[in-house]
C-alpha cells in the first residue's frame, strides 16, 4: 500500500514532469523513487499514459500553483505551532506580575501549559490539512482545486468571526487598562499594547488576508 510519504513524492515527481518543481525538491523525489518500487510503478504508469495521449499533459502553471500551496502548508506546519507556543509563553511573562503578583510563576506556568495544548492542537490541525491537500493533489489537479476551494471557504468563515472577536478583545483590554490605571503603569501599558496588537491583526485580516483569499478563490474558478 502506498504510504503518505510516497503520495508526496509521487506528486512531486508528477509536478517535476511538468516543469513545476525546483531543483532541490526534484532531486529529493528522484532519489526516493530510485529505491521505491511503488513510486517507480507510478512513474511507469504516468509515462504509459503520456504515450497513450500522444504527449498531451496538464499545463505547468496549475502544477506550480499546487506546489506553491503545498510549500506554504509545509512552512506553517513547521513554524506555526512554535510561534503559537512562544506567544503564550510571552504573554504569561507579562500577565503573571499583572494579575497574580503574589504568585506570578504559577500563572505563567498555567498560561504556558495552555500554550502547549494549543500548539499541539494546531500542529495536528495543520498536519491534517496538509495530508488532505496531498491526497487530493495525488488524485489530480481538479480534485486539489475542489479541496482548496472548500478550505478557502472555511477560512473565510473563520475570518468573519475573528474580524469581530479581535476588536471586541481590544475594547475589553482597553477598558481593563482604564479600570486598572491606579495599579501601576506597567499593567496599563501591557494591556494597551495587547489591545493594539489585536487591532493590528484585525487590520491585517481585513485589508490583506481576506482580499488575498477572495482573489485565490476567484482564480480557482469560483466567484467571490
Amino acid at each position: 500500500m502506498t504510504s503518505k510519504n510516497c503520495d508526496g513524492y509521487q506528486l512531486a515527481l508528477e509536478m517535476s514532469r511538468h516543469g513545476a518543481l525546483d531543483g532541490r525538491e526534484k532531486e529529493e523525489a528522484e532519489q526516493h523513487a530510485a529505491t521505491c518500487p511503488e513510486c517507480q510503478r507510478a512513474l511507469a504508469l504516468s509515462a504509459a499514459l503520456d504515450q497513450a495521449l500522444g504527449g498531451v499533459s496538464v499545463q505547468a502553471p496549475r502544477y506550480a500553483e499546487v506546489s506553491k500551496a503545498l510549500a506554504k502548508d509545509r512552512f506553517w506546519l513547521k513554524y506555526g505551532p512554535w510561534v503559537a507556543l512562544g506567544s503564550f509563553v510571552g504573554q504569561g511573562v507579562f500577565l503573571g506580575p499583572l494579575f497574580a503578583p503574589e504568585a506570578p510563576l504559577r500563572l505563567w506556568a498555567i498560561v504556558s501549559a495552555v500554550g502547549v495544548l494549543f500548539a499541539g492542537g494546531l500542529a495536528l490541525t495543520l498536519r491534517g490539512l496538509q495530508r488532505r491537500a496531498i491526497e487530493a493533489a495525488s488524485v489530480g489537479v481538479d480534485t486539489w482545486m475542489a479541496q482548496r476551494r472548500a478550505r478557502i471557504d472555511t477560512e473565510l468563515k473563520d475570518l468573519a468571526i475573528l474580524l469581530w472577536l479581535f476588536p471586541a478583545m481590544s475594547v475589553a483590554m482597553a477598558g481593563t487598562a482604564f479600570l486598572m490605571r491606579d495599579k501601576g503603569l506597567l499593567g496599563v501599558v501591557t494591556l494597551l499594547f495587547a489591545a493594539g496588537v489585536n487591532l493590528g491583526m484585525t487590520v491585517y485580516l481585513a485589508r490583506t488576508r481576506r482580499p488575498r483569499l477572495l482573489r485565490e478563490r476567484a482564480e480557482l474558478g469560483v466567484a467571490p
Side-chain angles (χ1 to χ4, degrees), residues 63-204:
Y63 279 94
E65 192 174 323
V66 175
S67 180
K68 183 178 179 180
L70 293 180
K72 288 182 179 179
D73 286 346
R74 289 194 298 271
F75 174 85
W76 285 113
L77 178 59
K78 183 176 181 180
Y79 297 108
W82 291 108
V83 172
L85 178 59
S87 174
F88 274 88
V89 172
Q91 290 179 63
V93 171
F94 289 100
L95 294 177
L98 183 60
F99 291 102
E102 70 287 350
L105 288 178
R106 181 183 301 174
L107 182 57
W108 172 81
I110 293 173
V111 174
S112 297
V114 172
V116 170
L117 294 175
F118 181 84
L122 179 61
L124 291 175
T125 300
L126 293 174
R127 189 174 297 278
L129 291 173
Q130 182 189 51
R131 185 188 70 251
R132 287 192 290 273
I134 289 176
E135 289 173 351
S138 298
V139 174
V141 173
D142 289 340
T143 302
W144 174 84
M145 288 173 63
Q147 190 270 347
R148 183 65 182 171
R149 287 195 294 265
R151 182 169 163 182
I152 290 174
D153 288 339
T154 299
E155 187 170 346
L156 286 170
K157 292 177 182 177
D158 293 339
L159 282 181
I161 296 173
L162 293 176
L163 285 174
W164 68 260
L165 180 60
F166 278 137
M169 291 173 61
S170 296
V171 172
M173 289 177 179
T176 303
F178 177 77
L179 294 175
M180 297 183 63
R181 62 189 184 280
D182 296 331
K183 300 291 185 179
L185 181 61
L186 177 61
V188 173
V189 172
T190 301
L191 286 170
L192 290 178
F193 175 77
V197 170
N198 283 331
L199 285 177
M201 284 298 299
T202 302
V203 172
Y204 165 75

Side-chain angles (χ1 to χ4, degrees), residues 8-19 21-37 39-40 43:
Y9 282 123
Q10 288 172 23
L11 174 61
L13 290 166
E14 185 67 16
M15 289 190 293
S16 175
R17 292 173 57 245
H18 296 275
L21 201 69
D22 63 38
R24 181 181 59 82
E25 290 181 308
K26 178 181 178 181
E27 182 180 356
E28 181 182 350
E30 290 176 345
Q31 289 177 352
H32 170 82
T35 58
C36 177
C39 290
Q40 290 170 9
L43 280 174

